[in-house]
Amino acid sequence: MKRIAVYCGSATPEDQRYIELAHEVGRTLALREIGVVYGGGRLGLMGAVASGALEAGGEVIGFIPEALANSEVANHDCTELHTVTGMHERKQKFTDYSDGFITIPGGVGTMDELWEAMSWAQLGYHQKPVGLLNAFGFYDHLIAFNEKMAEVGFVRPAHQNILIHSDTMGDLLDKMLAYEPHTPIFRMKAEEL
């Protein structure tokens, strides 16, 4: 993998472990010579991911919507900073520019990005690994919910391993590198659906 899109919050939680985690994620990717593709912001976890990667000599490519580009939230220290028309184009650029996706703690926007990456993988718009870093147990309930959807039958057996998760960054990257693409819905026969 040459580049990974990192989905995370632009907020700064009181618990500094989250900022430190984001910084370490960026640093780890840079040390593995994997570029960061992200939302182009300088605040919160977003800014910490970019700083971690840049300080370790890594590549950081940001995509920021026009509405935010001219404000003080844009990170002009990025290797490349692209302005896009809105969130839909931003997420498409994440997919176009990356070889996989990692979600670290975040809020509603982060969840939107994660579920879209999973949905697009399931359908067949991409065959890239979708990773979830479950640091501090932050995503325990989301992982359980994903398993519940599969148990009830809303996630087909062929797609139950799309979400790759781990509590540590090194293990998550190793699992993502070993990812074997599944059969997407677009290539399934009616009786498989």
Side-chain angles (χ1 to χ4, degrees), residues 100-172:
F101 313 89
I102 290 179
T103 299
I104 66 174
V108 174
T110 304
M111 291 300 90
D112 174 53
E113 293 164 339
L114 170 64
W115 290 115
E116 184 165 289
M118 289 176 61
S119 175
W120 285 16
Q122 182 177 280
L123 291 167
Y125 286 114
H126 72 76
Q127 291 191 316
K128 302 171 184 184
V130 180
L132 181 72
L133 183 58
N134 188 29
F136 322 121
F138 186 82
Y139 286 120
D140 285 349
H141 296 292
L142 186 141
I143 293 166
F145 176 64
N146 192 54
E147 290 168 356
K148 180 69 172 181
M149 288 190 296
E151 176 188 315
V152 172
F154 288 113
V155 178
R156 293 168 182 84
H159 305 134
Q160 290 177 6
N161 295 318
I162 288 175
L163 182 62
I164 302 164
H165 56 86
S166 180
D167 298 343
T168 66
M169 187 64 175
D171 184 54
L172 181 61

